[in-house]
Amino acid sequence: MSKKKLIAGNWKMNGSVAANDALVRAVIAGMGAADDCTVAVCVPAPYLAQLQMLRAGSALELGAQDVSAQEQGAYTGEVSAAMLKDFGARYALVGHSERRQYHGETDALVADKAKAALAHGITPIVCVGETLAEREAGRTEEVVKRQLAAVIHTNGHCISEIAVAYEPVWAIGTGKTATPQEAQQVHAVLRAQLHAATAHADRVAILYGGSMNAANAASLLAQADIDGGLIGGASLKAPDFLQIIAAARLQRD
Ligand code: PEP
């Protein structure tokens, strides 16, 4: 039996109190106990309190889409790891390509954010991935290894406590997906890099993200080093998200 998959939804900047209520109730009803698959939703910070109530008594885990590298203080607009923990968050995305691209987040900052999350018992889901230009220039491995190396360097022996999401930038929100073989190739590179850093590399969930949907999830999740998915668009529609969860569960049989 393969290890339990992690299916995490990334709502990005979408949602409303009414829409979240309907979506989360449908997901919880459809996923049931989900003891063969870990399911999480990473929601905009203002909705953490709503999700904390909605998920009470269910197996649905809660995540944030970002976390401050700072502990507390004069950092207007930032949300600390301790605050996320207060609302029951188990995960925080760090270094999503949209934050690297639109907010200028560097590898070093992403590594510090991962450290801040870990210090509060939150699993950082460290996002790495190459742009189309980088892939076409044959630089995919170099780019993802550089991004992960910064997090390994800063987090030392805690590195087995992170999760990683390989998200080719050209596949995010575009409907283009890496083939299962292309994704597996990069996941194997990341796994080898983790093995070189820790004796517990097999514990690290390496998720694939980038236009994962109900139709392609099963073949991606069947790959040896693909331990789950980070799902954007399809996580906003309960039936689609539930089909991806079902595909992840089948891998446990
Ligand atoms: C994402 O934003 O992390 C993502 C994978 O988006 P999508 O599934 O919409 O490509």
Side-chain angles (χ1 to χ4, degrees), residues 3-223:
K3 78 178 177 224
K4 199 166 162 174
K5 305 276 186 197
L6 168 58
I7 299 296
N10 173 14
W11 289 3
K12 311 195 191 207
M13 198 171 71
N14 293 294
S16 67
V17 169
N20 303 346
D21 189 84
L23 175 59
V24 171
R25 285 182 197 280
V27 168
I28 289 174
M31 67 186 247
D35 42 12
D36 45 5
C37 172
T38 304
V39 181
V41 283
C42 299
V43 307
Y47 296 130
L48 287 167
Q50 183 193 13
L51 265 287
Q52 191 182 30
M53 283 190 281
L54 281 172
R55 66 179 277 270
S58 81
L60 182 68
E61 298 285 353
L62 185 53
Q65 297 175 10
D66 185 30
V67 61
S68 178
Q70 307 298 332
E71 194 55 34
Q72 63 167 38
Y75 300 99
T76 303
E78 295 275 278
V79 176
S80 74
M83 293 171 184
L84 300 181
K85 196 73 187 168
D86 256 354
F87 289 95
R90 175 169 169 192
Y91 300 99
L93 304 181
V94 298
H96 190 281
S97 64
E98 288 151 15
R99 296 212 55 90
R100 291 180 190 261
Q101 192 180 344
Y102 306 136
H103 300 271
E105 293 196 5
T106 61
D107 294 340
L109 178 62
V110 171
D112 286 343
K113 288 185 170 198
K115 187 173 182 178
L118 287 168
H120 289 272
I122 290 174
T123 302
I125 302 178
V126 177
C127 303
V128 301
E130 81 287 3
T131 62
L132 184 59
E134 288 163 343
R135 173 161 281 263
E136 286 175 350
R139 296 182 51 220
T140 298
E141 285 190 20
E142 169 205 324
V143 170
V144 298
K145 283 171 82 172
R146 187 203 73 223
Q147 292 170 331
L148 183 57
V151 180
I152 292 173
H153 177 76
T154 300
N155 290 279
H157 67 277
C158 294
I159 203 66
S160 62
E161 306 303 319
I162 72 165
V164 177
Y166 168 54
E167 298 208 306
V169 179
W170 48 271
I172 296 179
T174 58
K176 290 183 196 146
T177 322
T179 64
Q181 294 70 28
E182 282 170 336
Q184 166 57 28
Q185 204 178 347
V186 178
H187 281 233
V189 166
L190 295 170
R191 182 83 64 203
Q193 191 177 3
L194 289 164
H195 271 300
T198 170
H200 306 293
D202 287 330
R203 275 195 210 154
V204 178
I206 309 181
L207 316 182
Y208 169 80
S211 299
M212 189 184 268
N213 57 39
N216 61 29
S219 55
L220 286 159
L221 294 169
Q223 301 302 308

